[in-house]
Amino acid sequence: VLLVFAAACGSSKTSAPPSPSAPREVLLPDLSRMDASVQAQVKQRHATLMEKRKAGASGDELGTAYGEYGMLLHAAEYHEAAEPAYLNAQDLMPGDVRWPYYLGHLYKSIGQTQKSIDAFTQALDRSPSEIAALVWLGRLYLEQGKPDEAEKFFTRAADLPPRNVAVLSGLGQAALAKRDYPKAVSVLEE
């Protein structure tokens, strides 16, 4: 009861109690296609993560370890191994926008559009003014041929400072897709 009360009283950036489900298994993949220096970094991050788990770390500390391990695997294009690390980080750090945002990129890079949309949406739930997530959602909807949906996200992003070229380009592309040529010209000229 005290843990639940403490979590409820904390800010949105503090960790929630551990997820009721067990953490996903995070493995050290076959690193043979990596340079030796990158292999050493991945092995060190994995060892650090395992040490933190063994020591009973929780919340932000363990979530950060999972997330950083996932980022390294993601950068090396080990997408399948990075996913559970990001998911664990996301569960342990429910107020942190990084992990659903990175998951959105991971899913986008492997062609899982709906999962990417869901992850970027979750990032927006955590930080409604996250311009990058708004832009990526707009782009994903444009790729799906849904310019009305795309325009909603680009418009939301356009209302946030500063004026952003990616946002204006997205608004112009959405207008073009809707055959609203005067608006497209105006926004793209801007």
Side-chain angles (χ1 to χ4, degrees), residues 50-161:
M50 293 301 113
E51 288 170 14
K52 289 186 185 299
R53 284 184 60 179
K54 188 176 181 179
S58 62
D60 290 350
E61 184 180 1
L62 186 57
T64 298
Y66 274 118
E68 289 176 351
Y69 181 60
M71 287 169 50
L72 193 54
L73 291 171
H74 186 179
E77 297 183 355
Y78 284 79
H79 301 119
E80 189 174 312
E83 181 185 24
Y86 281 154
L87 289 168
N88 288 339
Q90 180 176 264
D91 289 348
L92 289 164
M93 303 175 74
D96 196 316
V97 70
R98 292 176 295 174
W99 313 127
Y101 179 78
Y102 291 144
L103 267 169
H105 281 288
L106 184 141
Y107 293 136
K108 182 177 60 66
S109 64
I110 60 175
Q112 293 186 6
T113 303
Q114 189 55 54
K115 279 187 163 186
S116 182
I117 287 171
D118 294 344
F120 285 128
T121 300
Q122 189 170 24
L124 281 180
D125 290 344
R126 293 175 183 206
S127 179
S129 61
E130 183 64 39
I131 291 176
L134 290 165
V135 169
W136 282 110
L137 279 165
R139 287 181 180 175
L140 287 167
Y141 280 115
L142 274 176
E143 289 172 9
Q144 288 187 327
K146 298 178 180 177
D148 290 325
E149 284 297 313
E151 185 178 44
K152 292 176 191 175
F153 290 104
F154 289 125
T155 299
R156 241 174 95 184
D159 291 339
L160 300 169

Side-chain angles (χ1 to χ4, degrees), residues 27-48:
L27 303 173
L28 185 62
D30 172 17
L31 305 177
S32 60
R33 64 182 169 110
M34 289 183 181
D35 292 338
S37 64
V38 179
Q39 283 183 26
Q41 289 177 5
V42 172
K43 288 176 183 176
Q44 178 56 46
R45 283 280 163 91
H46 186 263
T48 300

